[in-house]
Amino acid sequence: MTHTTTDRPAQRPGGATVPVLAFAGIVVAVMQTLLVPVVKDLPVLLDTEPGNATWVLTSTLLSGAVATPIMGRLGDLYGKRRMLLTSLAVMVVGALVSALSATLLPMIAGRTLQGFAMGAIPLGIGLMRDMLPREKLGSAMALMSSSIGVGGGLALPAAALVAQHADWHALFYGAAGLGVVSIALTLLVVPESPMRAEGSFDLPGAAGLSAGLVLLLLPITKGSDWGWTAPTTLGLFGASAVVLLLWGAMELRLKAPLVDLRTTARPAVLFTNLASIMVGVSFYVVSLVLPQLLQLPTSTGYGLGQSMVSAGLLVAPLGLTMMLTAPVYARLSAKYGPKVTLITGMVIIGIGYGAGLGLMNAAWQSLVISVVLGAGIGLAYSSLPALIIGSVPASETGAANGLNTLMRSIGTSVSSAVVGMVLANTAHHVGGVAVPTMHGFRVSFLIATGAVAAGVLMALFLPGRRPATGLSLVASSEETAAPAREVPGGSPGRAPDAGGDRTPDTGNGPLAVSAARAGEDRPAAPGPALPGGNAEVTA
């Protein structure tokens, strides 16, 4: 007996589908990065205090953290393409609000709206999982996952060039234009996925998760300004713990929660998410350290005296190399599995940071560091969605990838806070201006190396590939495992996990139970492991 998806996309995904979805991810990364060249000038540009100006960055982080898992779940329920277009449209509106703003509050409002675009990454990965044939899925997900680095690497020198030679508001007009192009291409090229999850949207769960994340990330990002032992900082951390615990207890009682915590607690998902935090930490350290080192004047004795644009160009290979690793990842993962690829990527990151401790004396050395770290981060980032998708039911793809993307964001937030504190505490003052020291840069690289080592340790706990027994989930070249309401009379099989296990979902219907029993009586021919977990149930 074979059960496959009966609903079909309105149109077949064409060859341009993957580039268009990856372009959407790049647009999101550009939105995140475009203010980096003018961060130090924001207090003057907005006529406000430096502490207030940081809210322009913090607001985007907070809204993105809240929107990512919520948009993923909405995509599972109502259509991933629809939610992708919604995310991009909100970003365009936010960019236009910021482009027309010259004061703090409207700018914060615009940046908050722009943060909602962060949901585009997991939604794009979900669309790929639902529609692409297995032979294309690995490299496609790798490209989508690494698009955040590609966009950031390309946007940094471009934004610096615009900031130096034009009104800084042009940055937002450019981001809005890219968003409009991405929306148009998505409408023309990307079909809607037929996959839908059962149930309704968990509004109390969304409110609880949003409150918990804001209470957690706010002291992480503002702790340096408020003081890490200040009552406000400690109080917010404590409040976040209470809210998230209550939220978790509530989610466990619901039939259709925003985040299925039981699935999230599975080792394949749990340790992937924990490793994602460490990869996020390591990714952001180089983005914080190298541009500062390159732009410091040579009179410091260790600064490399590069212009803002030159520094951006020297760091840009970080993102370009991430993009080039997508096909490499697909081959490695097909042969060894995404767990091995993740560990390999993190080892390369560790080598890059270790070598970087002695390669800070010339601009070309920064270029080498960027290339090595880009290769490692690209492999690691590309492995994460495959590990998640292979471990969750098809109907939870968007929410699960949204949560994983959130874990990376938490890692970058922690990285920003810790490295910022290290550089501030090790800085020396020249004419009343705090100047980062070489000691601070090296300590930051050591922190990144430690984070990668912790990530490797967590990845070792991921299930490895094992021979299939019992029921086999044979990968289909064109169809994914059907959500519950697309398979009449039964429960869908569960997609294979990151370790290659092929076990049925025995939760709801007679199909799963009878198939499992049949598997006990006769062995099924093992099917090839699929990084993305697309499958049809064959017994």
Side-chain angles (χ1 to χ4, degrees):
M1 171 188 310
T2 300
H3 292 269
T4 60
T5 301
T6 55
D7 294 340
R8 312 297 300 170
Q11 65 181 93
R12 290 280 187 180
T17 298
V18 172
V20 168
L21 291 174
F23 179 71
I26 291 172
V27 171
V28 173
V30 169
M31 176 276 300
Q32 283 189 307
T33 311
L34 58 84
L35 277 183
V36 170
V38 297
V39 165
K40 62 181 183 300
D41 301 320
L42 282 178
V44 175
L45 295 173
L46 297 174
D47 190 25
T48 188
E49 297 295 325
N52 294 332
T54 59
W55 284 103
V56 174
L57 305 178
T58 303
S59 59
T60 307
L61 167 69
L62 296 178
S63 63
V66 168
T68 299
I70 291 176
M71 295 303 289
R73 179 59 178 166
L74 288 172
D76 288 337
L77 289 169
Y78 306 116
K80 299 179 181 71
R81 175 179 179 264
R82 180 181 299 171
M83 290 302 111
L84 173 61
L85 291 169
T86 302
S87 297
L88 292 171
V90 173
M91 188 211 77
V92 170
V93 172
L96 292 175
V97 170
S98 296
L100 298 171
S101 301
T103 55
L104 181 65
L105 291 180
M107 181 62 66
I108 291 175
R111 291 293 289 172
T112 300
L113 292 174
Q114 289 169 60
F116 276 84
M118 285 301 298
I121 305 294
L123 290 168
I125 292 172
L127 282 166
M128 291 174 177
R129 186 254 172 91
D130 290 350
M131 295 185 297
L132 293 181
R134 65 183 181 185
E135 62 269 16
K136 296 181 179 180
L137 187 59
S139 59
M141 289 195 306
L143 181 61
M144 188 70 195
S145 184
S146 61
S147 64
I148 197 75
V150 176
L154 296 175
L156 192 59
L161 190 64
V162 171
Q164 281 189 349
H165 300 287
D167 187 306
W168 67 289
H169 290 94
L171 296 170
F172 296 110
Y173 285 116
L178 289 174
V180 170
V181 171
S182 183
I183 290 172
L185 291 175
T186 302
L187 287 170
L188 291 172
V189 173
V190 180
E192 179 61 277
S193 165
M195 302 298 180
R196 297 289 187 276
E198 292 286 358
S200 58
F201 182 66
D202 176 18
L203 187 57
L209 180 60
S210 300
L213 289 175
V214 170
L215 291 171
L216 173 65
L217 292 174
L218 196 54
I220 289 177
T221 56
K222 301 293 287 184
S224 296
D225 297 332
W226 296 341
W228 292 104
T229 59
T232 301
T233 303
L234 297 178
L236 288 173
F237 277 128
S240 72
V242 172
V243 170
L244 289 174
L245 285 173
L246 292 174
W247 169 78
M250 178 183 69
E251 292 292 280
L252 290 172
R253 293 174 176 269
L254 298 177
K255 292 183 179 180
L258 178 72
V259 177
D260 188 341
L261 294 179
R262 291 182 177 85
T263 299
T264 304
R266 296 180 65 210
V269 181
L270 175 63
F271 287 108
T272 299
N273 283 333
L274 292 176
S276 298
I277 296 175
M278 298 298 107
V279 176
V281 170
S282 64
F283 170 55
Y284 211 58
V285 169
V286 64
S287 304
L288 292 170
V289 169
L290 283 189
Q292 294 192 65
L293 174 64
L294 287 164
Q295 291 182 69
L296 282 175
T298 55
S299 58
T300 59
Y302 51 88
L304 301 179
Q306 301 295 311
S307 68
M308 187 187 303
V309 176
S310 297
L313 290 172
L314 288 166
V315 178
L318 176 73
L320 294 175
T321 310
M322 288 177 65
M323 179 174 62
L324 295 176
T325 56
V328 177
Y329 157 77
R331 294 188 183 92
L332 288 176
S333 185
K335 186 172 184 179
Y336 302 107
K339 172 184 174 179
V340 173
T341 313
L342 173 61
I343 294 174
T344 301
M346 289 193 288
V347 169
I348 294 174
I349 297 172
I351 292 172
Y353 277 116
L357 293 171
L359 292 175
M360 293 186 174
N361 302 315
W364 68 267
Q365 295 175 352
S366 297
L367 186 65
V368 172
I369 295 172
S370 296
V371 170
V372 174
L373 291 177
I377 294 169
L379 286 177
Y381 264 25
S382 298
S383 305
L384 298 174
L387 288 166
I388 292 295
I389 282 179
S391 306
V392 302
S395 59
E396 297 179 16
T397 300
N401 269 301
L403 185 63
N404 182 255
T405 303
L406 171 62
M407 294 300 106
R408 299 190 223 174
S409 297
I410 289 176
T412 58
S413 301
V414 171
S415 175
S416 176
V418 172
V419 172
M421 180 175 62
V422 167
L423 295 181
N425 290 338
T426 57
H428 62 82
H429 291 77
V430 178
V433 177
V435 179
T437 62
M438 181 61 78
H439 175 64
F441 293 144
R442 290 199 168 105
V443 170
S444 300
F445 269 33
L446 286 172
I447 290 171
T449 305
V452 170
V456 171
L457 180 62
M458 293 167 185
L460 291 175
F461 287 97
L462 289 168
R465 281 188 171 180
R466 296 182 291 277
T469 57
L471 179 71
S472 176
L473 293 180
V474 183
S476 165
S477 64
E478 294 183 352
E479 298 175 3
T480 59
R485 71 181 178 198
E486 292 186 340
V487 181
S491 167
R494 177 176 293 167
D497 68 12
D501 285 339
R502 290 161 171 81
T503 56
D505 181 352
T506 58
N508 295 321
L511 168 65
V513 176
S514 61
R517 289 175 179 168
E520 293 173 358
D521 297 330
R522 69 181 188 277
L530 180 64
N534 294 351
E536 62 181 33
V537 183
T538 304

